[in-house]
Amino acid sequence: MKTWLRLLIAFLLCCTAMADDAVTELSRHLPKTPALVVVVCDREEADVQTVARLVEQSPWTIFCKGTASSGVDKIREWAREKNFLGERMFVVEDDGPSLWLAGDMADAVWVAPTVIRPPSENEIIRVLRPGGVCIASGKVRIKPAQTGVDEWRHPYHDPDNNVVSRDSVSRLPGELRFQTYPVFAAMPNQTLFAGGRIFFFSGHIAFHEREEPLLNTLTVLNAYNGPRLWSRPLDPDYVVHNIAKLATDSEVVFAEGGTLWILDASTGQQRG
């Protein structure tokens, strides 16, 4: 009896450690802002605890893929009971090689150590966005930046106000990558793009009630999969078409009246 009790305690401790490892490892590479994380799972209790902690201890959306089993059923039932299913938690039963997502979409892929047949490295890299992280088999890999992608860091593209894009990746025919919120926005508005983020400045005019939530607001979205990373109010007297704006991989800078704001691009926290 004592032997069985020791084995049970050891197993539960192992499950808890595995769940903590997943949260800790991913937190080293992802900020605590909304993100799309793919979890490839296999075992029962360990995977339920891992997914539960990922959802409860972060703002991330979890796309869980696993072979049809009672373990995957438990994950789905847990998500349904907590009202996460279909909102911040999606569960797919499939033992095929595909991770189901479009290319360049996931912020991270975490493969549970117990997975017997993990997805191929090519498939993982395919679904990861540039700069996304893969944690599998004790190794960490970062997907490199995509060549040929242009950014729109200034209101008129570049400091020289030349609005001709140098992007060589976006070409027709295009594709609908995702649909996200906000759908409607106040006017006037202006957009910058840098570091995989969309910086959307919206002004003081709303013709319909549906546009009012974005009155005088700076909204920052993940450009690869759509979640709102953060937002902050703008002064009602702020002139949206003011050209004193700059977005970089790490910061967004803009003049608001007599104040020059320097904000962290990933969190919105003030830097200067």
Side-chain angles (χ1 to χ4, degrees):
M1 182 67 181
K2 291 182 179 180
T3 302
W4 280 106
L5 181 60
R6 292 193 189 100
L7 289 173
L8 177 61
I9 293 173
F11 175 72
L12 293 175
L13 289 174
C14 180
C15 293
T16 302
M18 186 180 297
D20 288 339
D21 287 346
V23 176
T24 302
E25 289 175 347
L26 287 168
S27 296
R28 292 193 184 105
H29 303 278
L30 293 179
K32 287 300 181 69
T33 55
L36 176 59
V37 177
V38 176
V39 173
V40 183
C41 54
D42 198 29
R43 279 177 57 183
E44 295 189 11
E45 296 302 328
D47 292 339
V48 173
Q49 290 194 30
T50 297
V51 171
R53 297 212 178 185
L54 284 174
V55 175
E56 292 175 340
Q57 297 182 16
S58 77
W60 305 328
T61 296
I62 306 300
F63 180 84
C64 181
K65 176 184 178 293
T67 304
S69 65
S70 60
V72 174
D73 290 340
K74 288 181 180 180
I75 291 173
R76 184 183 294 105
E77 286 305 312
W78 174 86
R80 182 179 288 113
E81 290 174 3
K82 297 292 185 179
N83 295 320
F84 289 134
L85 194 64
E87 298 291 337
R88 286 187 52 219
M89 181 78 200
F90 301 86
V91 182
V92 171
E93 294 180 357
D94 180 35
D95 58 359
S98 173
L99 289 177
W100 285 56
L101 298 181
D104 301 321
M105 180 163 282
D107 295 293
V109 175
W110 185 81
V111 181
T114 55
V115 172
I116 298 175
R117 291 185 298 174
S120 68
E121 183 175 332
N122 287 341
E123 176 64 6
I124 292 174
I125 294 300
R126 182 189 69 79
V127 301
L128 277 177
R129 64 163 173 82
V133 58
C134 167
I135 301 176
S137 303
K139 299 179 181 179
V140 177
R141 178 169 179 180
I142 307 296
K143 183 170 179 174
Q146 189 173 10
T147 58
V149 175
D150 196 9
E151 296 189 332
W152 206 275
R153 296 179 172 233
H154 298 260
Y156 294 99
H157 185 225
D158 273 343
D160 60 3
N161 293 337
N162 184 344
V163 295
V164 177
S165 174
R166 294 185 294 272
D167 195 291
S168 61
V169 175
S170 296
R171 290 289 184 270
L172 293 175
E175 62 177 349
L176 179 63
R177 303 281 300 169
F178 56 82
Q179 183 172 337
T180 188
Y181 294 96
V183 177
F184 304 99
M187 297 176 60
N189 49 66
Q190 196 169 67
T191 302
L192 304 181
F193 166 70
R197 303 180 187 92
I198 298 171
F199 302 86
F200 186 72
F201 295 80
S202 51
H204 62 288
I205 302 171
F207 292 107
H208 306 90
E209 184 178 350
R210 66 196 183 193
E211 297 149 7
E212 292 178 0
L214 258 66
L215 283 168
N216 306 304
T217 303
L218 167 58
T219 304
V220 181
L221 305 174
N222 185 318
Y224 293 105
N225 46 47
R228 183 187 303 206
L229 302 177
W230 56 271
S231 61
R232 62 171 285 147
L234 297 171
D235 191 300
D237 295 327
Y238 178 70
V239 179
V240 169
H241 284 163
N242 182 340
I243 63 171
K245 297 184 187 74
L246 169 65
T248 71
D249 292 349
S250 59
E251 296 176 337
V252 57
V253 182
F254 62 96
E256 187 178 42
T259 303
L260 182 66
W261 293 105
I262 304 175
L263 308 178
D264 185 285
S266 62
T267 65
Q269 293 183 347
Q270 184 176 339
R271 286 188 171 182

Coordinates of all heavy atoms in Angstrom, one line a residue, residues 186-189 202-206 214-217 235-240:
A186 N -13.4 54.4 -35.0 CA -13.7 55.9 -35.1 C -12.8 56.5 -36.2 O -11.8 55.9 -36.6 CB -13.5 56.5 -33.7
M187 N -13.1 57.7 -36.5 CA -12.3 58.5 -37.5 C -11.9 59.8 -36.9 O -12.4 60.2 -35.9 CB -13.2 58.8 -38.7 CG -13.7 57.6 -39.5 SD -14.8 58.0 -40.8 CE -13.8 59.1 -41.8
P188 N -10.8 60.4 -37.5 CA -9.9 59.8 -38.5 C -9.0 58.7 -37.9 O -9.0 58.6 -36.7 CB -9.1 61.0 -39.0 CG -9.1 61.9 -37.8 CD -10.4 61.7 -37.1
N189 N -8.3 58.0 -38.7 CA -7.5 57.0 -38.1 C -6.2 56.8 -39.0 O -6.2 57.2 -40.1 CB -8.2 55.6 -38.0 CG -8.9 55.2 -39.3 OD1 -8.3 55.0 -40.3 ND2 -10.2 55.2 -39.2
S202 N -7.0 55.9 -33.6 CA -8.3 56.3 -34.0 C -8.7 57.6 -33.3 O -8.4 57.8 -32.1 CB -9.3 55.2 -33.8 OG -9.2 54.7 -32.5
G203 N -9.5 58.4 -34.0 CA -9.7 59.8 -33.5 C -11.1 60.0 -32.8 O -11.6 59.2 -32.1
H204 N -11.7 61.2 -33.1 CA -12.7 61.8 -32.2 C -14.1 61.7 -32.9 O -15.1 62.2 -32.3 CB -12.4 63.2 -31.9 CG -12.4 64.1 -33.1 ND1 -11.3 64.0 -34.0 CD2 -13.2 65.0 -33.6 CE1 -11.5 64.9 -35.0 NE2 -12.7 65.5 -34.8
I205 N -14.3 61.0 -34.0 CA -15.5 61.0 -34.8 C -16.1 59.6 -34.8 O -15.4 58.7 -35.3 CB -15.4 61.6 -36.2 CG1 -14.8 63.0 -36.1 CG2 -16.7 61.6 -36.9 CD1 -14.5 63.6 -37.5
A206 N -17.3 59.4 -34.4 CA -18.0 58.1 -34.5 C -19.4 58.4 -35.1 O -20.2 59.1 -34.5 CB -18.1 57.4 -33.2
L214 N -13.8 52.8 -29.8 CA -12.5 53.2 -30.2 C -12.3 54.7 -30.4 O -11.3 55.1 -31.0 CB -12.2 52.5 -31.6 CG -11.2 51.2 -31.4 CD1 -12.0 50.2 -30.6 CD2 -10.8 50.7 -32.7
L215 N -13.2 55.5 -29.9 CA -13.0 56.9 -29.9 C -11.7 57.3 -29.1 O -11.5 56.8 -28.0 CB -14.1 57.6 -29.2 CG -15.4 57.8 -30.1 CD1 -16.6 58.3 -29.2 CD2 -15.2 58.8 -31.3
N216 N -10.8 58.1 -29.7 CA -9.6 58.6 -29.1 C -8.8 57.4 -28.4 O -8.6 57.4 -27.2 CB -10.0 59.6 -28.0 CG -10.8 60.7 -28.6 OD1 -10.4 61.4 -29.6 ND2 -12.0 61.0 -28.0
T217 N -8.4 56.5 -29.2 CA -7.7 55.3 -28.7 C -6.6 54.8 -29.6 O -6.7 54.9 -30.8 CB -8.7 54.1 -28.6 OG1 -9.8 54.5 -27.8 CG2 -8.1 52.9 -28.0
D235 N -5.7 61.7 -25.8 CA -6.4 63.0 -25.5 C -7.4 63.3 -26.5 O -7.2 63.2 -27.7 CB -5.3 64.1 -25.5 CG -5.8 65.3 -24.8 OD1 -6.8 65.9 -25.4 OD2 -5.3 65.8 -23.8
P236 N -8.6 63.7 -26.1 CA -9.7 64.1 -27.1 C -9.3 65.1 -28.1 O -9.8 65.2 -29.2 CB -10.8 64.6 -26.2 CG -10.6 63.9 -24.9 CD -9.1 63.8 -24.7
D237 N -8.3 66.0 -27.7 CA -7.8 67.0 -28.6 C -6.6 66.5 -29.5 O -6.1 67.3 -30.2 CB -7.3 68.2 -27.8 CG -8.5 68.9 -27.1 OD1 -9.6 68.9 -27.6 OD2 -8.3 69.5 -26.0
Y238 N -6.3 65.2 -29.3 CA -5.2 64.7 -30.1 C -5.5 64.7 -31.6 O -6.6 64.3 -32.0 CB -4.9 63.3 -29.7 CG -3.8 62.6 -30.4 CD1 -2.5 63.0 -30.3 CD2 -4.1 61.5 -31.3 CE1 -1.4 62.4 -30.9 CE2 -3.0 60.9 -32.0 CZ -1.7 61.3 -31.8 OH -0.7 60.7 -32.5
V239 N -4.6 65.2 -32.4 CA -4.7 65.2 -33.9 C -4.1 63.9 -34.4 O -2.9 63.7 -34.5 CB -4.0 66.4 -34.5 CG1 -4.2 66.4 -36.0 CG2 -4.6 67.7 -33.9
V240 N -5.0 63.0 -34.9 CA -4.5 61.7 -35.3 C -3.6 61.8 -36.5 O -2.6 61.0 -36.6 CB -5.8 60.8 -35.6 CG1 -5.3 59.5 -36.4 CG2 -6.5 60.4 -34.4

